[in-house]
């Protein structure tokens, strides 16, 4: 066991691409002394693996029958100082919420000791410097310009907010009349790069999404916040069709939940709401056109509108649970530019993982012998909570439960 730190055996579930969810049973995964994945192989070759890596049966940590590993979930957008007022004052829309609740609380963080304590509560490892203009409204053009240059000079990550709410966009238009759109405000000031993550983007046009795609900039989709602050809905399908990098964010405290499981559920539900709204407006349009056509002569009738009002049923293209799982794991790591380090169980990446136990004491959902692993994962994503999360590993180190508590 010189080179090997841990050897795990059991079922592993991870994404390899947006649509490819792999459920890998009876596998063995070994980590090295710095928490990287050394091997990930079929347990049928256990004796060969144990010879090669120098471990024996007693070193193997085997999962229970219905337990499985999944990659740690990645929150691509959260405000550490806002954790103090999570779940409070959610009745206001974005700009009023900022003025009334957020800014006064954040002002108290000029007390460095207070700030340090809060950041230690919320922020974990892997912290890197990141250029963070709050959003265009709170910056002058000169500041944006200087920040863009600073990011370029030091090759830094960049994060901000974009096109979150209609009132915000209106204000940006007023403050930056020389720019064609919100995206251009960041882009012309070098703040839209392949190291940029912009939160929300609910109202980005297709033209703006194309600029995101060209620059390699990512969107952090924060559905809880978008609903809680009545900001709007991101059309996640459209953004994915534009091949924009994307992950999920809690946006605490614009979003009231710290849970990525909540973000997964709300991302799926938002996509369904958009689908229903679109179907309704298509039906309404068809009805209007049908009424108009009733008054037309036969040779004026438009062929495209003759397929009946329910044609959208055939185009049921809502976000699948597999895609939402990908967004919460590999998609998030791609958005943050850390997919070479984390996001799934590829050899060479760090071992960031959760052990999920669907049969945990007080589990919020039930499983029986007829439930497949795939169905178990779906139930966990829709119904599970931290009672089902038996362990958390970050870079090969068990952080939940803390070793001292076991
Ligand atoms: N836009 C500018 N600042 C903020 C913030 O703190 N939260 C959210 N949701 N949007 C913002
Ligand atoms: Fe935010």
């Amino acid at each position: 066991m010189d080179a090997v730190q841990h050897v795990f055996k059991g079922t592993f579930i991870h994404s390899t691409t947006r649509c490819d969810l792999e459920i890998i049973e009876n596998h063995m995964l070994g980590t090295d002394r710095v928490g990287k994945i050394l091997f990930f192989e079929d347990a049928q070759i256990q004796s060969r693996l144990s010879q090669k890596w120098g471990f024996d049966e007693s070193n193997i940590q085997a999962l229970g029958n219905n337990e499985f590993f999944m990659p740690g979930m990645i929150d691509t957008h959260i405000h550490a100082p806002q954790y103090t007022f999570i779940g409070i004052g959610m009745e206001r829309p974005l700009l009023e919420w900022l003025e009334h609740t957020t800014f006064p609380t954040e002002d108290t963080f000029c007390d460095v000791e207070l700030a340090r304590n809060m950041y230690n509560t919320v922020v974990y490892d892997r912290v890197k410097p990141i250029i963070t203009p709050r959003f265009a409204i709170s910056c002058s053009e000169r500041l944006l310009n200087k920040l863009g240059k600073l990011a370029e000079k030091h090759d830094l990550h960049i994060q901000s907010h974009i096109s979150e709410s209609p009132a915000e966009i209106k204000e940006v238009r007023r403050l930056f009349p020389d720019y064609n759109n919100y995206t251009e405000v960041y882009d012309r000031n070098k703040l839209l790069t392949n190291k940029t993550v912009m939160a929300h983007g609910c109202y980005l046009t297709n033209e703006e999404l194309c600029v995101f795609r060209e620059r390699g900039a990512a969107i952090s989709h924060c559905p809880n916040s978008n609903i809680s602050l009545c900001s709007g809905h991101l059309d996640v399908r459209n953004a994915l069709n534009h091949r924009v990098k994307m992950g999920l964010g809690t946006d605490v405290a614009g979003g009231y939940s710290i849970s990525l499981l909540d973000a997964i559920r709300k991302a799926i539900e938002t996509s369904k709401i958009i689908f229903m709204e679109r179907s309704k407006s298509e039906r309404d349009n068809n009805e209007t056109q049908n009424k108009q056509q009733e008054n037309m002569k036969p040779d004026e009738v438009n062929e495209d509108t003759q397929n009946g009002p329910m044609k959208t049923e055939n185009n049921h293209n809502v976000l699948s649970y597999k895609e939402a799982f990908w967004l919460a794991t590999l998609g998030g790591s791609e958005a943050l530019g850390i997919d070479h380090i984390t996001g799934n169980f590829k050899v060479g990446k760090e071992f960031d993982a959760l052990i999920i136990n669907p049969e945990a004491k007080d589990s919020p959902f039930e499983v029986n012998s007829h439930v497949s692993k795939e169905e178990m994962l779906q139930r966990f994503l829709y119904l599970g909570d931290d009672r089902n999360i038996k362990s958390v590993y970050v870079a090969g180190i068990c952080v939940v439960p803390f070793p001292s508590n076991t």
Side-chain angles (χ1 to χ4, degrees), residues 79 82 94 97-98 102 134-135 161 164 200 225 229 251 254:
H79 298 252
Q82 296 179 9
L94 174 68
W97 171 80
L98 286 172
T102 309
R134 177 166 212 127
F135 59 166
H161 300 86
E164 181 176 357
H200 307 289
S225 168
L229 298 178
D251 194 28

Side-chain angles (χ1 to χ4, degrees), residues 77 79 82 85 94-95 97-98 102-103 106 133-138 160-162 164 168 182 186 199-200 222 225-226 229 231 250-255:
H77 184 84
H79 298 252
Q82 296 179 9
F85 58 90
L94 174 68
L95 297 184
W97 171 80
L98 286 172
T102 309
F103 295 154
E106 290 186 11
R134 177 166 212 127
F135 59 166
I137 294 178
S138 57
S160 190
H161 300 86
I162 195 165
E164 181 176 357
E168 174 210 19
Y182 202 159
Y186 293 128
H200 307 289
C222 306
S225 168
N226 292 340
L229 298 178
S231 301
T250 60
D251 194 28
V252 165

Side-chain angles (χ1 to χ4, degrees), residues 45-86:
I45 62 161
Q46 179 175 327
S47 54
R48 233 188 297 158
L49 289 170
S50 72
Q51 258 180 10
K52 177 169 178 191
W53 299 105
F55 62 86
D56 58 41
E57 191 74 39
S58 67
N59 302 126
I60 299 171
Q61 295 166 254
L63 292 192
N65 212 7
N66 284 327
E67 292 177 347
F68 59 88
F69 280 105
M70 63 172 275
M73 292 182 273
I74 298 170
D75 189 346
T76 59
H77 184 84
I78 181 167
H79 298 252
Q82 296 179 9
Y83 188 63
T84 42
F85 58 90
I86 188 168

